Amino acid sequence: MKAMIDLVTILTDDAPRLIAFYRDALGFAPHGNDDNGDNGDYCEFAMDGGTRFAVCARSVMAETTHHPSFRTPAAGQAFELAFPCDTHDAVDATYAAIIAKGATPVQPPATMPWGMRAAFFADPDGNIHEVFAR
C-alpha cells in the first residue's frame, strides 16, 4: 500500500440529491459510469489531478461490505471538505454563489486571526464544508 489517499467518497442516504448538489451548486463534472456520470447510487467526479471524489449511497456499501454500520443513520460531522479560492474577494463571491444555488449558510466569510479568509456552508445532508483563501 502507498501512504496516500486516492479516493474520498461521501456516503449518503439520498445519492441523487447529493450528486445533483455537487454537480449543480459546486460545479463538479461527473466522470465515468454513463452519459450523466452517475448510476443513481454512485457518481465519481472528474478532478484535475490528485485525489478522486465520489458520492455513494450508503445502501451500496451495506450490500458490498455486509457491515451493519452502513445501515445505521449517520449523525454529527465526520469530515470537512475545503475548497480553495485564489483571493479573499473570491471567497466572498464563491460563498454567495454557492448559497444562491442551494447550500445552507453556516458561517459567512470572515478573515481568520491567522490571516486566511474562510466561509462555511452545508450540503443537503448537513455536511459542513469550507471555501478559503490564504
Side-chain angles (χ1 to χ4, degrees), residues 10-133:
I10 296 178
L11 301 175
T12 181
D13 291 322
D14 191 344
R17 177 183 69 165
L18 213 57
I19 290 166
F21 175 80
Y22 283 92
R23 182 191 62 227
D24 301 339
L26 299 185
F28 283 94
H31 174 73
N33 298 349
D34 67 15
D35 292 339
N36 296 321
D38 73 79
N39 66 14
D41 289 331
Y42 178 86
C43 179
E44 188 171 311
F45 295 96
M47 301 287 284
D48 292 332
T51 304
R52 296 176 300 138
F53 169 65
V55 170
C56 182
R58 293 170 60 80
S59 60
V60 169
M61 291 303 294
E63 293 166 12
T64 302
T65 67
H66 308 287
H67 197 276
S69 66
F70 291 107
R71 299 218 186 270
T72 304
Q77 299 300 312
F79 68 96
E80 176 209 35
L81 301 177
F83 303 98
C85 295
D86 291 330
T87 66
H88 286 200
D89 289 341
V91 170
D92 297 16
T94 300
Y95 180 78
I98 291 170
I99 299 306
K101 292 179 180 176
T104 302
V106 172
Q107 179 66 39
T111 301
M112 302 292 123
W114 51 91
M116 184 173 78
R117 188 144 181 94
F120 298 87
F121 65 92
D123 69 19
D125 276 5
N127 301 305
I128 296 173
H129 305 307
E130 169 184 5
V131 291
F132 74 95

